[in-house]
Amino acid sequence: MTALQVRRLLLVLLASAIIITEEVIGYTAAAMPVPYSLTRTVIHTAAGLTYAVCAWLAWQVADSPVPGRLMIVIALLWIPPPFIAATWPLGSVWPIFESLVVVWAVLQAALVVIYPTGRLPGRLEFWALAVGVGGGLVRMLALLFLAPYATPECGCAPNAYVVVPDWGLYNVINLAYRGVGILLIVLIIITVIVRWSRGTTPARYIAFVMPVALILWCAAIAYEVASDAFGVTALPLVVYLGYLGTASIPISFVAGLMYIRSMRGRVSDLVVLTRDGVEREFWQPALADTLRDPRLRVYWWDVTRGRYRDGGGEQLDTDATPGRLRTRLAIESASGRLALIDHDVALREYQGLLDAVASAMRLSVDNSRLRTELEATLQEVRESRVRIIEAGIVARRQIERDLHDGSQQSLVSLALSLRMAIGSARAAGDEALVDELEGALQQLTDALRQLRELARGIHPSSLTVGGLGMAVAELVARTPVPVEVELDVPGRLAPLTEATVYFFVAECLTNVAKYAGASAARVCVRVGAGGLEVSVSDDGRGGATLGGGSGLIGLVDRMEAIGGTVLVESFDGRGTTVTARIPPEGSPEVPALTDAERASVSAESTDRR
């Protein structure tokens, strides 16, 4: 709780304590000719406490502090007539209290006039309130300087402030003040009712209680004036209804504020609902329901045509006036014009509510735009990753072909030349030369073997000509650990997918041979309804991780580039299983090889070896 809230709470508690103390003193003194009954005292106390409590609530929910201030001042000036009667023996005290009674009535009228925005709505209300303040001031001065006593039968001490004692003149001024007050209250009631009846749905929802409270209050004052004028004792039931009307005014005010708060809550819910972006057609019915305005219309800015259009394509005439009870709210974002809302004019008094609506629309549209841009960027990144990997595969394949068709063939030709030279040297009987040439031939053979291994590591020719099955078989044959293979792949896969799977299996088998300490391994490649699944498992020591220098992290990137995922399950002493899954769209198939193509592939592979 802030320091301001603490001060306000203490003020509310002080006003409540003063009201209760005055009521107790007045009831105990029983100084009035017709003392208040306990029931009337309790009801009068409850009416005063209502202003104190509602002041605290108004401070919590109102945009303006003015309603709360008026309510707390009214609560402080809620002086019960029995308490004033208890001060009758003090001629310098009771006139002050009697004059202050007028003030709370004027403040109550001001509270009604500023309902529910906390501001004066127009010139009529301003002048009505000004007349009320002027009349109240005249009545206060008349009581202080003309009235010799409170009532003819009070038996009270003489007024210490009287200048010209004239009870008759004061009584005329008092009745005139009350009559003018009744007329002003009736005028305010008519204004509120007309505004309520002519208003559209939002205005009626916001000002739904105050007219009833005003009618009760006015009826009670009129009845009290008539009773005083004709010397008739007021009926308790009518007096209680007057208290009810008086207490209903702050309750009505707070109820209107609470309703506005609930509308803001609905807007907050709308923000949560639309924060990730929604279709534009969603906004009009959602805002119409949220703001209780069935005629609300949302027009979106058409950048290409430079016009506002609604969801049905109807163009808005921005030059035409929206009507006496309608107004428009333009919404702009960082990128320019966004939308225009045609809404009830009553909502214009609640700028905070409209600002929340505008913020919700901007947030939703901007988030939707940013999400679209982000998705497009991510798609570009994915496509670029695939292009980079494909380019790498093409480059590997080209290097392998260059090595095979260039350097490798040159070395093979050199080996044939060396063999011919060895034959010539042997025929000439030069054994020393034969030994040197055979040594050179052996070195050449080793270099040729290393070159073939290098070419196979860059990109195996068996993968290009024989597919995944032949390439995996070569890997298994070169692996020092016994490997069981299960290959269930109908036909050929896309070259990118085949290359990715091949290098994935190759890296896994390399890890098995170097680090796992396994006695056996298993490779499983199968195509199912969920796409392509590749798993490599061993019975080694376990404890492998993707980030532990295993070399798999780069392959994870390659798998993710084609939409795949990698999962490592490794437990100490119980082996390791590395599984990659590629969705169907990431592993498109190509037609299977015919028998003639298979024979050609086999012959070419044998030749390259």
Side-chain angles (χ1 to χ4, degrees):
M1 186 177 291
T2 64
L4 179 60
Q5 290 177 321
V6 171
R7 290 196 297 270
R8 288 173 172 175
L9 180 59
L10 292 176
L11 194 58
V12 169
L13 295 176
L14 175 63
S16 302
I18 291 174
I19 290 172
I20 295 174
T21 301
E22 291 176 346
E23 295 284 358
V24 171
I25 292 175
Y27 178 76
T28 304
M32 295 183 68
V34 181
Y36 272 32
S37 65
L38 180 60
T39 302
R40 186 170 180 177
T41 301
V42 170
I43 295 176
H44 192 273
T45 305
L49 292 176
T50 299
Y51 278 90
V53 174
C54 288
W56 171 255
L57 296 176
W59 273 324
Q60 303 305 310
V61 300
D63 294 331
S64 170
V66 175
R69 292 172 183 173
L70 288 177
M71 291 179 191
I72 200 65
V73 173
I74 292 173
L76 290 170
L77 296 178
W78 189 259
I79 307 173
F83 176 77
I84 298 176
T87 65
W88 281 345
L90 304 174
S92 60
V93 176
W94 67 260
I96 301 297
F97 286 127
E98 285 283 2
S99 62
L100 288 177
V101 170
V102 178
V103 178
W104 78 262
V106 175
L107 294 177
Q108 192 174 50
L111 184 65
V112 172
V113 168
I114 66 172
Y115 174 78
T117 62
R119 301 184 300 272
L120 289 172
R123 297 178 62 87
L124 177 62
E125 290 81 2
F126 171 80
W127 286 111
L129 186 59
V131 171
V133 171
L137 181 61
V138 171
R139 194 265 186 186
M140 289 177 62
L141 296 176
L143 186 143
L144 287 173
F145 302 135
L146 296 178
Y149 40 78
T151 61
E153 66 277 1
C154 69
C156 52
N159 182 357
Y161 307 102
V162 69
V163 177
V164 180
D166 192 335
W167 176 257
L169 178 59
Y170 163 74
N171 198 35
V172 170
I173 294 174
N174 185 40
L175 291 176
Y177 162 76
R178 294 193 176 191
V180 172
I182 291 175
L183 292 177
L184 291 177
I185 294 173
V186 171
L187 176 63
I188 294 173
I189 291 174
I190 293 174
T191 302
V192 172
I193 292 178
V194 169
R195 189 191 309 163
W196 183 83
S197 62
R198 290 184 177 179
T200 51
T201 304
R204 293 186 177 185
Y205 273 110
I206 293 170
F208 61 98
V209 183
M210 187 63 77
V212 178
L214 284 175
I215 292 173
L216 287 175
W217 183 43
C218 181
I221 293 178
Y223 180 77
E224 183 182 354
V225 172
S227 299
D228 291 345
F230 296 102
V232 179
T233 302
L235 294 175
L237 179 60
V238 178
V239 174
Y240 296 158
L241 289 176
Y243 292 160
L244 176 62
T246 302
S248 297
I249 290 175
I251 294 175
S252 302
F253 207 117
V254 172
L257 297 177
M258 290 294 188
Y259 182 80
I260 297 171
R261 172 66 66 89
S262 70
M263 292 178 69
R264 291 182 179 176
R266 292 166 64 90
V267 173
S268 299
D269 295 338
L270 194 62
V271 172
V272 175
L273 181 64
T274 60
R275 62 185 176 185
D276 293 330
V278 293
E279 297 294 333
R280 290 189 169 185
E281 290 73 12
F282 167 86
W283 281 101
Q284 182 164 301
L287 289 179
D289 178 66
T290 300
L291 301 178
R292 304 295 189 185
D293 184 4
R295 294 179 57 196
L296 183 142
R297 294 292 179 269
V298 177
Y299 297 90
W300 298 93
W301 180 250
D302 187 343
V303 179
T304 58
R305 301 186 180 182
R307 294 285 186 177
Y308 286 103
R309 295 180 178 274
D310 63 9
E314 180 182 350
Q315 181 176 303
L316 173 67
D317 185 4
T318 53
D319 295 330
T321 56
R324 187 175 61 87
L325 298 178
R326 310 294 300 175
T327 189
R328 291 167 181 170
L329 172 66
I331 301 175
E332 297 186 358
S333 66
S335 57
R337 296 182 183 181
L338 179 61
L340 187 144
I341 301 176
D342 183 283
H343 61 85
D344 188 279
V345 70
L347 296 173
R348 189 171 57 185
E349 300 294 335
Y350 310 97
Q351 193 58 45
L353 185 64
L354 296 178
D355 289 343
V357 170
S359 298
M361 294 186 70
R362 276 193 293 266
L363 177 64
S364 176
V365 173
D366 287 345
N367 282 353
S368 179
R369 175 178 54 81
L370 292 174
R371 179 179 293 274
T372 301
E373 294 176 356
L374 178 59
E375 289 176 352
T377 302
L378 289 176
Q379 183 62 29
E380 291 178 1
V381 171
R382 295 189 192 102
E383 292 175 354
S384 65
R385 288 176 65 184
V386 171
R387 288 194 297 268
I388 291 171
I389 293 175
E390 288 178 338
I393 292 174
V394 171
R396 283 171 173 265
R397 186 181 300 148
Q398 184 62 44
I399 292 173
E400 185 272 334
R401 287 176 179 173
D402 292 342
L403 290 175
H404 180 273
D405 298 337
S407 301
Q408 186 175 336
Q409 294 299 328
S410 298
L411 292 176
V412 170
S413 299
L414 179 58
L416 292 175
S417 299
L418 285 174
R419 287 192 179 94
M420 293 175 63
I422 290 172
S424 299
R426 186 174 285 116
D430 191 347
E431 294 299 328
L433 181 57
V434 170
D435 291 340
E436 290 181 5
L437 290 175
E438 285 181 346
L441 179 61
Q442 183 60 45
Q443 292 179 5
L444 180 59
T445 303
D446 293 341
L448 185 59
R449 188 187 72 253
Q450 293 175 3
L451 182 61
R452 285 173 175 168
E453 291 293 334
L454 176 62
R456 189 180 295 115
I458 293 174
H459 189 86
S461 59
S462 57
L463 181 63
T464 303
V465 298
L468 196 58
M470 182 180 294
V472 170
E474 278 191 355
L475 282 176
V476 170
R478 298 199 307 269
T479 302
V481 178
V483 180
E484 177 187 353
V485 179
E486 178 185 346
L487 193 65
D488 183 12
V489 180
R492 295 287 301 273
L493 302 176
L496 177 60
T497 303
E498 283 188 339
T500 303
V501 172
Y502 171 82
F503 287 111
F504 177 83
V505 174
E507 185 63 40
C508 289
L509 291 179
T510 299
N511 288 340
V512 171
K514 288 183 177 180
Y515 311 115
S519 61
R522 185 172 186 273
V523 175
C524 179
V525 183
R526 64 166 66 96
V527 175
L532 178 65
E533 180 177 300
V534 185
S535 65
V536 180
S537 58
D538 64 71
D539 59 357
R541 63 175 60 93
T545 60
L546 284 176
S550 63
L552 287 175
I553 193 65
L555 297 180
V556 171
D557 293 338
R558 295 170 66 102
M559 280 291 178
E560 291 179 348
I562 60 174
T565 58
V566 178
L567 174 66
V568 176
E569 297 176 295
S570 186
F571 306 95
D572 291 339
R574 289 186 290 171
T576 301
T577 299
V578 184
T579 305
R581 294 183 176 88
I582 304 172
E585 61 271 15
S587 56
E589 295 185 7
V590 297
L593 296 176
T594 63
D595 293 339
E597 289 172 332
R598 289 183 185 276
S600 175
V601 165
S602 178
E604 184 176 356
S605 176
T606 302
D607 176 67
R608 292 198 173 194
R609 284 185 174 82

